[in-house]
Amino acid sequence: MKTTSFAGALALGASVATLLAAVPALAADAAAAAGTPAGSGAEATDITNIVVTAEHNIAAATAPTKASLTEQQPESIITHRFIEDVRPESGDYTTTVLIAPSMAGTSSNGGGVGETNKSTLRGFQDGMYNLTYDGIAFGDTNDPTHHPASYFPASTIGAAVIDRGPGSAGDLGQANFGGAIHLFSPTVSNAFGTSQKFTYGTFDTMMSVSQLQTGAVDALHGGKLLLVFQELRSDGELSNSDGVAQNQTLKYVQPINDKTTLTLFASHNYTRYFQSDAGPGETWRQVQTYGKNFALTNDPTDEHYKGFNHEKKQTDFEYIDLKGDVGYGVTYEDQAYTYFYSNKTISVNDITGLIGQNTSPPKSSKLPATDIGGYDKGNRYRVYGDIVRINKDWSFGTLKAGALWEGSSTDRHNLYIDLTQGGIADNKFKTGVLNAKTLEYSSWDQYQVFADFEWRPLENLTIQPGVKYVNFTRNIDGIEENSGTPNFPKHTSAIGSNTYDKPLYFATVNYRILPYWSVYGQYATGFLIPSLSFLQATNPSLNSLQPEETTNYQLGTVFTRGHVTADADVYQIHVTNLQVADPTGQFYENAGTADYSGVEGQAAYAFDFGLTLFANGSLNTAKNATAHNTELNAPKWTDAVGALYNKGPWSAAVTYKQTGAQVVAYSPNAQELPAYDTTDASVAYDFGHFKVKLAGFNLFDNRAVINFSGATLYSAADAGLYQFQAGRQIQVTLEAKF
């Protein structure tokens, strides 16, 4: 593996930080500015400021999702109270954000183990929107998709903001395209405190979460530390699909002076679980024979044997953040970061056969056809970068400017092996690297430069134009197996480099009609680089791909007063440069356009006695404008209703979420999955130093089909894989806190 040190990113961050940190001393006697905090857009704004801005009344303070009167695009803010009281203790970010309008997705294996859950946003699939943590976008280096079980469990999420749109120019990341999910770390308290949680639930799920807050320590000049440790194990609902997960998180906040703060963050995650990389899911024939919970077996002579299908992953995520106020209306933030991902997988080639039928013979004719063939897959990457933001505030407006630089280093392999004979190499090829399906090194270098100007010509009017320039270079050096086209050998060298660049433009306006009622509008452009797989084509030199692009138009309104908070919006998004394979299969090209449009809303009413009722929903359309087909896996609507209660030591909740019908295949007619829903409930009593919580998820045990990868639904002859909604789960949590 080619290594690139994080020292470069730290050096860049440290140099800027040292320069900026010196300025407060020079301007210590200057008047403090009254402007906004450093940052632009949700990604760089402190979550405390977001929540305070949004929660102007009792309804907004207790609603599970809410909007801000100052927002410039549709958003849903989910606070720590909702995560703590309502969502699964063993959950992750997908379970946290599901309650919001236009969000869809659910797990197909209970207990919180394995990678069986993804989320869609307005029908945009994972990898088509940014996912950030404390303002830093992260994702895989082949394309910006995500592994929900591999980074941040629910215990490390203090709050979340779903941006249904590309935001402002200062919203940075690898997928400035279909919106963003912003996750925020827990708050570090000024007061000392400890807590210990133990959770036990269905599928023999056991979890422990230990938390320590040191509070502000006088000997450290107000420095304060948060430690969170989580241990999880579960048998899972699917057969022989158990797993374990561990997370350790540290966050330290050090005041440098009254205008400068340094934050250090580090998180490490380890997961090991049994799941086939050839899945997940089961064929319709398997469903009819074994039921909806079939996945793996304990039979070492069968391709579904759990010993032939397992994954082990480790990740880490770190940053150093320095922010401050230098006086004269100038604030700054410098954030140097890195994150790492390692995946070690053993899997069979195919899982579509019945028990005792071998549909995964070795790839080599030199090995017995009765043996079970598979592969050894590895993927390791390190990403490192630095984000610098500087704001200048005047009485009439604020200039927000900055830049991101980011690099990555990745190596991956996929080697054919004979699992029956203990994983020996499956020597398929006569030349080259004998058993390699993929041997590859890749990297990227990108930079983004942006400027937004928040102009306030009137006290109740904000107009914000912005511009961002994105430059992204991807490199690949490796060999790939191909289909053996006559003009090409079995192994093809994949060596190449592509640079994609684009200026992006933004314009938003927010007008406060009344102190409690605002309207807003947004025009924005988006950009999504081609996946690394497009450089793995048989003849990548023929690629002429341009990045996919979006043009976004959105209008909305927010009303929040007294016992009521409500907001609604309409949107129209035009997508160009859709990417398809050339008919010869040798390269990729751009062809076609798509249109996403819809209407969304969320509302809550709070009673004085502690009860809050809420509802939200969306109508979403995603059409391929060239083929006139509905885009695959894009739900046509979402809706949610529920009630939350908080009074004295009692808290309780009942929530209902429905995900609308979605097209999953064309063969030749549209194959559509019906809507599915889930009802969750929880009740808790706080004794002071002790708290007990009882929670149930999918109370009516719905087992709907939530995903399908084949061509024709409900056909025993179709080898497509089905995933089903995880069944009913009950969890009891005991907490001690001091």
Side-chain angles (χ1 to χ4, degrees), residues 559-626:
F559 180 93
T560 179
R561 186 185 191 190
H563 294 273
V564 177
T565 183
D567 63 273
D569 67 89
V570 295
Y571 67 92
Q572 175 70 44
I573 304 171
H574 184 61
V575 183
T576 59
N577 292 339
L578 294 179
Q579 296 155 0
V580 298
D582 173 73
T584 68
Q586 298 180 28
F587 60 93
Y588 290 88
E589 59 188 352
N590 297 110
T593 61
D595 289 295
Y596 291 70
S597 60
V599 56
E600 304 159 320
Q602 53 193 4
Y605 185 90
F607 296 90
D608 290 329
F609 57 87
L611 177 66
T612 299
L613 303 179
F614 75 90
N616 67 56
S618 65
L619 294 174
N620 311 95
T621 300
K623 292 278 190 180
N624 186 301
T626 304

Side-chain angles (χ1 to χ4, degrees), residues 416-562:
Y416 291 114
I417 57 177
D418 186 317
L419 292 163
T420 301
Q421 300 187 43
I424 68 167
D426 180 345
N427 295 324
K428 176 183 177 183
F429 303 110
K430 296 180 179 178
T431 60
V433 180
L434 295 180
N435 66 323
K437 180 180 180 181
T438 300
L439 280 177
E440 174 186 284
Y441 167 78
S442 64
S443 64
W444 77 43
D445 284 284
Q446 70 152 324
Y447 65 89
Q448 301 181 21
V449 183
F450 75 90
D452 288 300
F453 186 72
E454 187 179 285
W455 180 37
R456 301 183 289 271
L458 302 173
E459 182 180 0
N460 58 344
L461 175 63
T462 301
I463 301 171
Q464 182 169 299
V467 62
K468 172 166 53 185
Y469 176 72
V470 180
N471 184 286
F472 195 106
T473 299
R474 189 194 289 281
N475 307 292
I476 185 173
D477 185 354
I479 60 171
E480 306 290 338
E481 175 195 11
N482 62 60
S483 59
T485 303
N487 295 330
F488 298 93
K490 288 281 188 176
H491 266 152
T492 298
S493 295
I495 302 174
S497 177
N498 285 106
T499 297
Y500 311 98
D501 64 328
K502 183 73 177 179
L504 301 175
Y505 304 100
F506 305 81
T508 61
V509 59
N510 179 289
Y511 180 69
R512 191 79 64 90
I513 300 172
L514 294 169
Y516 46 81
W517 182 21
S518 66
V519 294
Y520 62 86
Q522 180 191 54
Y523 163 82
T525 55
F527 174 95
L528 184 67
I529 63 165
S531 169
L532 180 67
S533 62
F534 295 119
L535 282 174
Q536 299 167 342
T538 305
N539 198 346
S541 63
L542 298 178
N543 280 347
S544 58
L545 283 175
Q546 296 299 313
E548 294 185 52
E549 300 177 16
T550 59
T551 304
N552 303 257
Y553 303 92
Q554 306 197 86
L555 295 172
T557 183
V558 180
F559 180 93
T560 179
R561 186 185 191 190

Side-chain angles (χ1 to χ4, degrees), residues 281-357:
E282 52 183 313
T283 66
W284 190 245
R285 189 179 177 195
Q286 291 172 337
V287 174
Q288 292 176 312
T289 305
Y290 308 121
K292 295 180 179 180
N293 289 345
F294 176 70
L296 301 175
T297 72
N298 257 324
D299 182 357
T301 66
D302 178 56
E303 64 189 19
H304 305 99
Y305 176 48
K306 63 185 297 184
F308 297 158
N309 297 277
H310 51 84
E311 300 187 25
K312 182 170 66 175
K313 298 184 178 184
Q314 291 195 65
T315 66
D316 64 62
F317 187 100
E318 295 84 25
Y319 68 77
I320 301 173
D321 184 285
L322 182 70
K323 64 179 63 175
D325 183 339
V326 303
Y328 302 103
V330 177
T331 57
Y332 68 89
E333 180 175 15
D334 183 34
Q335 199 172 35
Y337 62 89
T338 182
Y339 59 90
F340 169 80
Y341 173 86
S342 172
N343 174 13
K344 298 179 180 179
T345 293
I346 298 294
S347 176
V348 297
N349 296 319
D350 182 83
I351 57 169
T352 61
L354 296 180
I355 296 174
Q357 294 179 350

Side-chain angles (χ1 to χ4, degrees), residues 673-684:
L673 294 180
Y676 60 90
D677 58 68
T678 184
T679 302
D680 304 335
S682 64
V683 60

Side-chain angles (χ1 to χ4, degrees), residues 3 122 124 202 220 241 250 279 339 357 494 496 525 571:
T3 58
R122 287 180 168 176
F124 289 109
T202 311
L220 298 174
S241 296
L250 175 154
Y339 59 90
Q357 294 179 350
T525 55
Y571 67 92

